[in-house]
Coordinates of all heavy atoms in Angstrom, one line a residue:
Chain B
G109 N -158.0 26.9 -140.4 CA -158.6 25.6 -140.4 C -158.3 24.7 -139.2 O -158.3 23.5 -139.3
V110 N -158.0 25.4 -138.1 CA -157.7 24.7 -136.8 C -158.9 23.9 -136.3 O -160.0 24.5 -136.2 CB -157.1 25.6 -135.8 CG1 -157.1 25.0 -134.4 CG2 -155.8 26.1 -136.1
T111 N -158.8 22.6 -136.1 CA -159.9 21.8 -135.6 C -159.8 21.3 -134.2 O -160.8 21.0 -133.6 CB -160.1 20.6 -136.5 OG1 -158.9 19.9 -136.6 CG2 -160.6 21.0 -137.9
G112 N -158.6 21.3 -133.7 CA -158.3 20.7 -132.3 C -158.3 21.7 -131.2 O -158.2 23.0 -131.5
E113 N -158.4 21.2 -130.0 CA -158.3 22.1 -128.8 C -156.8 22.4 -128.6 O -155.9 21.6 -129.0 CB -158.8 21.3 -127.6 CG -160.4 21.2 -127.6 CD -161.1 22.5 -127.6 OE1 -160.8 23.4 -126.8 OE2 -161.9 22.7 -128.6
P114 N -156.5 23.6 -127.9 CA -155.1 23.9 -127.6 C -154.5 22.9 -126.7 O -155.1 22.4 -125.7 CB -155.2 25.3 -127.0 CG -156.6 25.4 -126.5 CD -157.4 24.6 -127.4
Q115 N -153.2 22.5 -127.0 CA -152.5 21.5 -126.2 C -151.2 22.2 -125.6 O -150.3 22.4 -126.4 CB -152.0 20.3 -127.0 CG -153.2 19.6 -127.7 CD -152.7 18.7 -128.8 OE1 -151.7 18.0 -128.7 NE2 -153.2 18.9 -130.0
P116 N -151.2 22.7 -124.4 CA -150.0 23.4 -123.9 C -148.9 22.5 -123.5 O -149.2 21.3 -123.0 CB -150.6 24.2 -122.7 CG -151.8 23.5 -122.3 CD -152.3 22.7 -123.5
E117 N -147.7 22.9 -123.6 CA -146.5 22.1 -123.2 C -145.5 23.1 -122.6 O -145.4 24.3 -123.1 CB -145.9 21.4 -124.4 CG -146.7 20.3 -124.9 CD -146.3 18.9 -124.3 OE1 -145.5 18.9 -123.3 OE2 -146.9 17.9 -124.7
K118 N -144.7 22.7 -121.7 CA -143.7 23.5 -121.1 C -142.3 22.8 -121.3 O -142.2 21.7 -120.9 CB -144.0 23.8 -119.7 CG -143.2 25.0 -119.1 CD -143.7 25.3 -117.7 CE -142.8 26.3 -117.0 NZ -142.9 27.6 -117.7
T119 N -141.3 23.5 -121.8 CA -140.0 23.0 -121.9 C -139.0 23.9 -121.2 O -139.5 25.0 -120.8 CB -139.5 22.8 -123.4 OG1 -139.3 24.1 -123.9 CG2 -140.6 22.2 -124.3
P120 N -137.8 23.5 -121.0 CA -136.9 24.4 -120.2 C -136.7 25.8 -120.8 O -136.4 26.7 -120.1 CB -135.6 23.6 -120.2 CG -136.0 22.2 -120.4 CD -137.2 22.2 -121.3
S121 N -136.8 25.9 -122.1 CA -136.5 27.2 -122.7 C -137.7 27.9 -123.3 O -137.6 29.0 -123.7 CB -135.4 27.0 -123.9 OG -135.9 26.1 -124.8
A122 N -138.8 27.2 -123.4 CA -140.0 27.8 -124.0 C -141.3 27.2 -123.5 O -141.4 26.2 -123.0 CB -139.9 27.5 -125.6
E123 N -142.4 28.0 -123.8 CA -143.7 27.6 -123.6 C -144.3 27.3 -125.0 O -144.2 28.2 -125.8 CB -144.6 28.6 -122.8 CG -144.0 28.9 -121.5 CD -145.0 28.7 -120.4 OE1 -146.2 28.3 -120.7 OE2 -144.7 28.9 -119.2
L124 N -145.0 26.2 -125.1 CA -145.5 25.8 -126.4 C -147.0 25.5 -126.3 O -147.5 25.0 -125.3 CB -144.7 24.5 -126.9 CG -145.2 23.8 -128.1 CD1 -145.0 24.6 -129.4 CD2 -144.6 22.4 -128.2
C125 N -147.7 25.8 -127.4 CA -149.1 25.5 -127.5 C -149.3 24.9 -128.9 O -148.8 25.5 -129.9 CB -150.0 26.7 -127.3 SG -151.7 26.2 -126.8
Q126 N -150.1 23.8 -129.1 CA -150.3 23.2 -130.4 C -151.7 23.0 -130.6 O -152.6 22.7 -129.7 CB -149.5 21.8 -130.4 CG -148.0 22.0 -130.2 CD -147.3 20.7 -130.6 OE1 -146.8 20.5 -131.7 NE2 -147.1 19.9 -129.6
W127 N -152.1 23.0 -131.9 CA -153.5 22.7 -132.4 C -153.4 21.9 -133.6 O -152.6 22.1 -134.5 CB -154.2 24.0 -132.8 CG -154.2 25.1 -131.7 CD1 -155.3 25.4 -131.0 CD2 -153.2 26.1 -131.4 NE1 -155.0 26.5 -130.1 CE2 -153.8 26.9 -130.4 CE3 -151.9 26.3 -131.9 CZ2 -153.1 28.0 -129.8 CZ3 -151.2 27.3 -131.3 CH2 -151.8 28.2 -130.3
S128 N -154.3 20.9 -133.7 CA -154.3 20.0 -134.9 C -155.2 20.6 -136.0 O -156.2 21.3 -135.7 CB -154.8 18.6 -134.5 OG -156.0 18.7 -133.9
V129 N -154.8 20.3 -137.2 CA -155.6 20.7 -138.4 C -155.9 19.5 -139.1 O -155.1 18.8 -139.7 CB -154.8 21.7 -139.3 CG1 -155.5 22.0 -140.5 CG2 -154.4 22.9 -138.5
D130 N -157.2 19.1 -139.1 CA -157.7 17.8 -139.7 C -158.2 18.1 -141.1 O -159.3 18.8 -141.2 CB -158.7 17.2 -138.8 CG -159.1 15.8 -139.3 OD1 -158.7 15.4 -140.4 OD2 -159.8 15.1 -138.5
K131 N -157.6 17.6 -142.1 CA -158.0 17.9 -143.5 C -158.7 16.7 -144.1 O -158.8 16.6 -145.3 CB -156.8 18.2 -144.4 CG -156.0 19.5 -143.9 CD -156.6 20.7 -144.4 CE -155.7 21.9 -144.2 NZ -156.3 23.2 -144.6
G132 N -159.1 15.7 -143.3 CA -159.8 14.5 -143.8 C -158.9 13.3 -144.1 O -159.4 12.2 -144.2
S133 N -157.6 13.5 -144.2 CA -156.7 12.4 -144.4 C -155.4 12.7 -143.7 O -155.0 13.9 -143.5 CB -156.5 12.1 -145.8 OG -155.6 13.1 -146.4
I134 N -154.7 11.7 -143.2 CA -153.4 11.9 -142.5 C -152.4 12.6 -143.4 O -151.6 13.4 -143.0 CB -152.9 10.6 -142.0 CG1 -153.8 10.0 -140.9 CG2 -151.5 10.7 -141.4 CD1 -153.5 8.6 -140.4
A135 N -152.5 12.2 -144.7 CA -151.6 12.8 -145.7 C -151.6 14.3 -145.7 O -150.6 15.0 -145.9 CB -151.8 12.2 -147.1
D136 N -152.8 14.9 -145.6 CA -153.0 16.3 -145.7 C -153.0 17.1 -144.4 O -152.9 18.3 -144.3 CB -154.3 16.6 -146.5 CG -154.2 16.1 -147.9 OD1 -153.2 16.0 -148.5 OD2 -155.3 15.6 -148.4
S137 N -153.2 16.3 -143.3 CA -153.4 16.9 -142.0 C -152.0 17.3 -141.3 O -151.0 16.7 -141.7 CB -154.2 16.0 -141.0 OG -155.4 15.8 -141.6
F138 N -152.0 18.2 -140.4 CA -150.8 18.5 -139.7 C -151.1 19.2 -138.4 O -152.3 19.3 -138.0 CB -149.9 19.5 -140.6 CG -150.6 20.7 -141.0 CD1 -150.5 21.9 -140.3 CD2 -151.3 20.8 -142.2 CE1 -151.1 23.1 -140.7 CE2 -152.0 21.9 -142.6 CZ -151.9 23.1 -141.9
T139 N -150.1 19.7 -137.7 CA -150.3 20.3 -136.4 C -149.6 21.6 -136.3 O -148.4 21.7 -136.6 CB -149.9 19.4 -135.2 OG1 -150.7 18.2 -135.2 CG2 -150.0 20.1 -133.9
Y140 N -150.3 22.7 -136.0 CA -149.7 24.0 -135.7 C -149.2 24.1 -134.3 O -149.7 23.5 -133.4 CB -150.7 25.1 -135.9 CG -150.9 25.6 -137.3 CD1 -152.2 25.6 -137.9 CD2 -149.9 26.1 -138.0 CE1 -152.4 26.1 -139.2 CE2 -150.1 26.6 -139.3 CZ -151.3 26.6 -139.9 OH -151.5 27.0 -141.2
G141 N -148.1 24.9 -134.2 CA -147.5 25.1 -132.8 C -147.0 26.5 -132.7 O -146.5 27.1 -133.7
I142 N -147.2 27.1 -131.5 CA -146.6 28.4 -131.3 C -145.7 28.3 -130.0 O -146.2 27.8 -129.0 CB -147.6 29.5 -131.1 CG1 -148.5 29.7 -132.3 CG2 -146.9 30.9 -130.7 CD1 -149.5 30.7 -132.2
A143 N -144.4 28.6 -130.1 CA -143.5 28.5 -129.0 C -142.9 29.9 -128.7 O -142.4 30.6 -129.5 CB -142.4 27.5 -129.3
V144 N -143.0 30.2 -127.4 CA -142.5 31.5 -126.9 C -141.2 31.3 -126.2 O -141.1 30.5 -125.3 CB -143.5 32.1 -126.0 CG1 -143.0 33.4 -125.3 CG2 -144.8 32.5 -126.7
F145 N -140.1 31.9 -126.7 CA -138.8 31.8 -126.2 C -138.4 33.2 -125.5 O -138.0 34.1 -126.3 CB -137.8 31.5 -127.3 CG -137.9 30.1 -127.8 CD1 -138.8 29.8 -128.8 CD2 -137.1 29.1 -127.4 CE1 -138.9 28.5 -129.4 CE2 -137.1 27.8 -127.9 CZ -138.0 27.5 -128.9
P146 N -138.6 33.4 -124.2 CA -138.3 34.7 -123.6 C -136.8 35.0 -123.6 O -136.5 36.2 -123.4 CB -138.9 34.6 -122.2 CG -139.6 33.3 -122.2 CD -139.1 32.4 -123.3
R147 N -136.0 34.0 -123.7 CA -134.5 34.3 -123.5 C -133.7 33.8 -124.6 O -132.5 33.5 -124.4 CB -134.1 33.7 -122.1 CG -134.7 34.3 -120.9 CD -134.2 33.7 -119.6 NE -134.5 32.3 -119.6 CZ -135.7 31.7 -119.3 NH1 -136.7 32.5 -118.9 NH2 -135.8 30.4 -119.3
A148 N -134.3 33.6 -125.8 CA -133.5 33.2 -126.9 C -133.9 33.9 -128.2 O -135.1 33.9 -128.5 CB -133.6 31.7 -127.2
G149 N -132.9 34.6 -128.8 CA -133.3 35.4 -130.0 C -133.2 34.5 -131.3 O -132.9 33.3 -131.2
I150 N -133.4 35.1 -132.4 CA -133.4 34.3 -133.7 C -132.0 33.9 -134.0 O -131.8 33.0 -134.8 CB -134.0 35.1 -134.8 CG1 -133.3 36.4 -135.1 CG2 -135.5 35.3 -134.6 CD1 -133.8 37.1 -136.4
D151 N -131.0 34.5 -133.4 CA -129.6 34.1 -133.6 C -129.3 32.7 -133.0 O -128.3 32.1 -133.2 CB -128.6 35.1 -133.1 CG -128.8 35.4 -131.6 OD1 -129.9 35.3 -131.1 OD2 -127.8 35.7 -130.9
K152 N -130.2 32.3 -132.1 CA -130.0 31.0 -131.4 C -130.8 29.9 -132.0 O -130.9 28.8 -131.4 CB -130.5 31.2 -129.9 CG -129.8 32.2 -129.1 CD -128.4 31.8 -128.8 CE -127.8 32.9 -127.8 NZ -126.3 32.7 -127.8
V153 N -131.4 30.1 -133.2 CA -132.2 29.1 -133.8 C -131.3 27.9 -134.2 O -130.2 28.0 -134.7 CB -132.9 29.6 -135.1 CG1 -133.4 28.5 -136.0 CG2 -134.0 30.5 -134.7
V154 N -131.8 26.7 -133.8 CA -131.1 25.4 -134.1 C -132.0 24.7 -135.2 O -133.2 24.5 -135.0 CB -130.9 24.5 -132.9 CG1 -130.3 23.2 -133.3 CG2 -130.1 25.2 -131.9
A155 N -131.4 24.4 -136.3 CA -132.2 23.9 -137.4 C -131.5 22.7 -138.1 O -130.4 22.4 -137.9 CB -132.4 25.0 -138.4
V156 N -132.4 22.0 -138.9 CA -131.9 20.9 -139.8 C -131.7 21.6 -141.1 O -132.6 22.0 -141.8 CB -132.9 19.8 -139.9 CG1 -132.5 18.8 -140.9 CG2 -133.1 19.1 -138.5
G157 N -130.4 21.7 -141.5 CA -130.2 22.3 -142.8 C -130.2 23.8 -142.8 O -129.8 24.5 -141.8
E158 N -130.6 24.5 -143.9 CA -130.5 25.9 -144.1 C -131.4 26.7 -143.1 O -132.5 26.3 -142.8 CB -130.9 26.2 -145.5 CG -130.7 27.7 -145.9 CD -131.4 28.0 -147.2 OE1 -132.1 27.1 -147.8 OE2 -131.4 29.1 -147.7
K159 N -130.9 27.9 -142.7 CA -131.7 28.9 -142.0 C -131.9 30.0 -142.9 O -131.0 30.8 -143.2 CB -131.0 29.3 -140.7 CG -131.0 28.2 -139.6 CD -130.5 28.7 -138.3 CE -129.0 28.7 -138.2 NZ -128.5 29.0 -136.9
K160 N -133.2 30.2 -143.4 CA -133.5 31.2 -144.4 C -134.0 32.5 -143.7 O -134.9 32.5 -143.0 CB -134.5 30.6 -145.3 CG -134.9 31.4 -146.5 CD -135.8 30.6 -147.4 CE -136.6 31.5 -148.3 NZ -137.8 30.8 -148.9
E161 N -133.3 33.6 -144.0 CA -133.7 34.9 -143.4 C -134.9 35.5 -144.2 O -134.8 35.6 -145.5 CB -132.6 35.9 -143.5 CG -131.4 35.5 -142.5 CD -130.3 36.5 -142.5 OE1 -130.4 37.5 -143.2 OE2 -129.3 36.2 -141.8
I162 N -136.0 35.8 -143.5 CA -137.2 36.3 -144.2 C -137.7 37.5 -143.3 O -137.1 37.8 -142.3 CB -138.3 35.3 -144.4 CG1 -138.7 34.7 -143.0 CG2 -137.8 34.2 -145.3 CD1 -139.9 33.8 -143.1
T163 N -138.8 38.1 -143.8 CA -139.4 39.2 -143.0 C -140.8 38.8 -142.8 O -141.5 38.4 -143.7 CB -139.3 40.5 -143.7 OG1 -137.9 40.8 -144.0 CG2 -139.8 41.7 -142.9
V164 N -141.3 39.0 -141.6 CA -142.7 38.7 -141.3 C -143.3 40.0 -140.7 O -142.9 40.4 -139.6 CB -142.9 37.6 -140.3 CG1 -144.4 37.4 -140.0 CG2 -142.4 36.3 -140.9
G165 N -144.2 40.6 -141.4 CA -144.7 42.0 -141.0 C -143.5 42.9 -141.2 O -142.9 43.0 -142.2
S166 N -143.1 43.6 -140.1 CA -142.0 44.4 -140.1 C -140.8 43.8 -139.3 O -139.8 44.5 -139.1 CB -142.3 45.8 -139.5 OG -142.8 45.6 -138.1
R167 N -140.9 42.5 -139.0 CA -139.9 42.0 -138.1 C -139.0 41.0 -138.9 O -139.4 40.3 -139.8 CB -140.5 41.2 -137.0 CG -141.5 42.0 -136.1 CD -142.1 41.2 -135.0 NE -143.3 41.8 -134.5 CZ -143.4 42.2 -133.2 NH1 -142.4 42.1 -132.4 NH2 -144.6 42.7 -132.8
K168 N -137.8 40.9 -138.4 CA -136.9 39.9 -138.9 C -137.3 38.5 -138.5 O -137.8 38.3 -137.4 CB -135.4 40.1 -138.4 CG -134.8 41.4 -139.0 CD -133.3 41.4 -138.8 CE -133.0 41.7 -137.3 NZ -131.5 41.8 -137.1
A169 N -137.1 37.5 -139.4 CA -137.5 36.1 -139.0 C -136.6 35.1 -139.7 O -135.9 35.5 -140.6 CB -139.0 35.9 -139.4
I170 N -136.7 33.9 -139.2 CA -135.9 32.8 -139.8 C -136.8 31.7 -140.1 O -137.6 31.3 -139.3 CB -134.8 32.3 -138.8 CG1 -133.8 33.4 -138.4 CG2 -134.1 31.1 -139.4 CD1 -132.7 33.6 -139.4

Side-chain angles (χ1 to χ4, degrees):
Chain B
V110 166
T111 51
E113 290 299 307
Q115 306 160 48
E117 290 269 3
K118 195 173 172 66
T119 72
S121 57
E123 299 238 358
L124 170 69
C125 199
Q126 300 191 93
W127 303 260
S128 55
V129 177
D130 190 349
K131 299 276 192 184
S133 73
I134 293 173
D136 299 325
S137 301
F138 57 93
T139 295
Y140 273 123
I142 298 180
V144 173
F145 290 84
R147 295 179 303 278
I150 58 173
D151 59 326
K152 301 286 187 194
V153 163
V154 176
V156 173
E158 182 196 4
K159 287 190 273 189
K160 188 174 158 192
E161 291 181 4
I162 60 173
T163 305
V164 177
S166 58
R167 303 180 200 243
K168 291 195 286 185
I170 299 278

